[in-house]
Amino acid sequence: MSTVTPPTRGLEGVVAANSAICYIDGEKGVLAYRGIDIHELADNSTFEETCYLLWFGRLPTRAELKDFSTTLARERKLDAGIISLLRQAPKHALPMDVLRTTVSALSYWDPEEKVNTREANLNKSIRLTAQLAMIVAYYDRIRKGRPLVEPDRALSHAGNFLLMLTGKPPSKAAERALDVALILHADHELNASTFAARVTAATLSDMHSAVTSAIGALKGPLHGGANEAVFRILEAIDASGADPVEYVKGMLAQKKKIPGFGHRVYHTEDPRATHLRQMSRELGSSSGESKWFEISRKIEEFINKDKKLNANVDFYSASTYHTLGIDLDLFTPLFAVSRISGWTAHVMEQLDDNRLIRPRAEYVGPAYLAPYVPMDRRQ
Ligand SMILES: CC(C)(COP(=O)(O)OP(=O)(O)OC[C@H]1O[C@@H](n2cnc3c(N)ncnc32)[C@H](O)[C@@H]1OP(=O)(O)O)[C@@H](O)C(=O)NCCC(=O)NCCS
């Protein structure tokens, strides 16, 4: 007889951990990190400060933030072995796959590879945050045959990413837009990739394994991969001159889901989408290329009305990233560049009060005891 209750599909509504990191009210559209509303953080904070908040549980003082930013800047370096691994990747390799494999390899050169204490994991969180941004930017330059660009200690994390990616110091507007996007993507409670990270960490594996698991989970189009899928649709509409509403109606007629819409937890507007919509609009008009925002808006109005679905974090991040000059296949890696802060915060929280995560499955296979039929009697 079974000893477990049948699960809801996809563990919907199941509370699987206690956590003091991220608060979500899906009915009211509220998201807060350590109790602080995401709108306040988006308006006033920086990605560096948000990392501190997630990892230390409170906002830093001015001196603490300065020290922390200096440490992050000091860790903005990659071992020659990692650069060589990036150079060896075939030029057609997807940046998300390169990121997953390279992050796994970072452990070879991590000075605390075999240490799983809180202190070591905090150091690893800082290192991984610095390194992930470099890996994404450097792989893009390597695949395009461009020279690597040294980080600049005077720039923020967002500014450094843009500098290392494009080779040019970013405008203040671009740096701030990316900074806000990084804040908005930093954490989101037990989303699929964070859950994957916590499951791996709970076996007392290590931080690099947990983050590698998370990157694999983030890649899928039902999770972080959705932002790339959104832009593919915008591009297809632009290239064919199709009417955006007719285009998505066609997708729905084929029973396809529209990427960038719907959410397991939010039943109202995703608060991150509010900022990204505004950012997409502003960047579109300041760059003189507002067509991506306009196509997006038409799709959103139709899907809101017709399907009663709201845009999620991925919908307007697509046009925002494109307008910032970021290639389509870097959108999901860029999500990881931010979410590393949340993944590592959750790994540390998991280890602070760890127990192996090992649920049960409701067995629905052939009845026990099925016979083992010898080979010569099988049909
Ligand atoms: C986010 C997502 C995976 C949540 O999935 P979920 O909680 O399992 O919800 P379901 O897929 O069961 O969807 C519930 C209903 O809404 C519909 N729906 C959900 N998202 C939809 C979308 N983006 N486009 C069209 N219909 C959608 C489903 O078809 C389903 O309808 P039905 O009950 O008539 O079959 C889902 O909304 C989705 O696939 N969205 C597109 C991918 C995306 O943007 N992912 C990023 C999330 S931040």
Side-chain angles (χ1 to χ4, degrees):
M1 213 176 62
S2 165
T3 55
V4 290
T5 26
T8 57
R9 287 183 70 235
L11 298 182
E12 179 167 0
V14 172
V15 174
N18 286 333
S19 177
I21 301 173
C22 189
Y23 171 73
I24 302 177
D25 183 332
E27 302 306 320
K28 297 196 182 123
V30 171
L31 166 63
Y33 301 157
R34 303 282 187 189
I36 303 177
D37 192 89
I38 194 69
H39 297 303
E40 270 211 80
L41 292 170
D43 288 342
N44 304 306
S45 189
T46 59
F47 180 64
E48 284 84 336
E49 186 178 68
T50 300
C51 289
Y52 192 102
L53 175 66
L54 292 173
W55 296 336
F56 293 88
R58 61 169 177 84
L59 290 170
T61 62
R62 196 182 298 278
E64 284 168 339
L65 183 60
K66 190 164 174 273
D67 272 6
F68 178 75
S69 303
T70 307
T71 312
L72 190 64
R74 206 172 42 233
E75 294 295 354
R76 220 167 263 128
K77 56 184 186 228
L78 290 174
D79 192 276
I82 292 293
I83 304 284
S84 142
L85 194 63
L86 292 175
R87 290 197 191 282
Q88 280 166 39
K91 298 290 169 284
H92 63 262
L94 282 177
M96 196 60 181
D97 293 346
V98 173
L99 182 66
R100 183 200 57 225
T101 301
T102 312
V103 164
S104 176
L106 284 172
S107 72
Y108 306 157
W109 290 281
D110 194 284
E112 292 164 297
E113 191 221 338
K114 293 185 179 62
V115 196
N116 209 11
T117 59
R118 191 168 226 285
E119 195 192 351
N121 281 326
L122 184 58
N123 295 337
K124 288 180 198 180
S125 305
I126 298 174
R127 270 198 287 283
L128 279 160
T129 301
Q131 291 164 328
L132 251 75
M134 291 192 84
I135 290 170
V136 175
Y138 277 13
Y139 177 63
D140 190 57
R141 292 194 71 82
I142 288 171
R143 70 176 171 165
K144 290 177 175 158
R146 295 179 182 156
L148 301 184
V149 180
E150 285 297 314
D152 177 348
R153 286 191 176 210
L155 286 178
S156 67
H157 193 64
N160 262 300
F161 176 77
L162 290 170
L163 170 72
M164 292 184 288
L165 183 74
T166 64
K168 290 179 290 226
S171 70
K172 281 280 160 231
E175 183 178 6
R176 182 60 191 153
L178 185 63
D179 202 21
V180 175
L182 294 179
I183 295 169
L184 296 174
H185 285 83
D187 193 45
H188 211 230
E189 200 218 46
L190 282 200
N191 59 92
S193 56
T194 302
F195 190 55
R198 285 188 80 129
V199 169
T200 301
T203 69
L204 298 183
S205 176
D206 62 87
M207 181 66 91
H208 289 83
S209 301
V211 172
T212 307
S213 304
I215 295 175
L218 184 72
K219 180 183 169 184
L222 294 187
H223 189 9
N227 56 12
E228 296 187 20
V230 170
F231 200 74
R232 259 182 236 110
I233 292 172
L234 302 184
E235 263 186 335
I237 291 172
D238 182 54
S240 63
D243 175 65
V245 172
E246 292 307 317
Y247 189 92
V248 291
K249 270 189 190 166
M251 287 180 69
L252 292 172
Q254 294 170 55
K255 304 264 174 264
K256 289 187 181 155
K257 282 188 176 169
I258 313 301
F261 288 92
H263 201 274
R264 177 63 69 76
V265 181
Y266 294 117
H267 300 296
T268 180
E269 169 129 322
D270 177 337
R272 303 165 299 175
T274 317
H275 286 273
L276 287 156
R277 182 189 299 107
Q278 191 187 334
M279 221 187 283
S280 165
R281 182 192 291 122
E282 286 170 7
L283 285 170
S285 63
S286 63
S287 68
E289 206 193 21
S290 51
K291 67 179 176 182
W292 305 112
F293 172 75
E294 279 155 20
I295 299 173
S296 305
R297 194 74 187 116
K298 285 184 184 147
I299 296 175
E300 185 188 25
E301 277 167 2
F302 171 71
I303 298 289
N304 277 171
K305 204 158 119 245
D306 191 68
K307 298 288 295 177
K308 308 275 176 287
L309 287 170
N310 294 296
N312 59 43
V313 69
D314 293 303
F315 190 63
Y316 282 104
S317 48
S319 45
T320 298
Y321 292 162
H322 176 78
T323 316
L324 285 174
I326 295 165
D327 283 3
L328 172 61
D329 58 5
L330 299 182
F331 290 6
T332 313
L334 187 49
F335 194 150
V337 164
S338 163
R339 187 56 61 83
I340 181 67
S341 55
W343 291 331
T344 48
H346 278 268
V347 167
M348 289 188 281
E349 183 180 71
Q350 178 66 37
L351 294 176
D352 282 345
D353 182 24
N354 188 55
R355 191 157 187 237
L356 179 76
I357 298 174
R358 201 304 189 188
R360 293 296 314 271
E362 176 74 7
Y363 180 69
V364 293
Y368 179 79
L369 178 65
Y372 178 81
V373 182
M375 186 70 82
D376 55 6
R377 280 201 242 138
R378 291 179 208 165
Q379 312 252 333

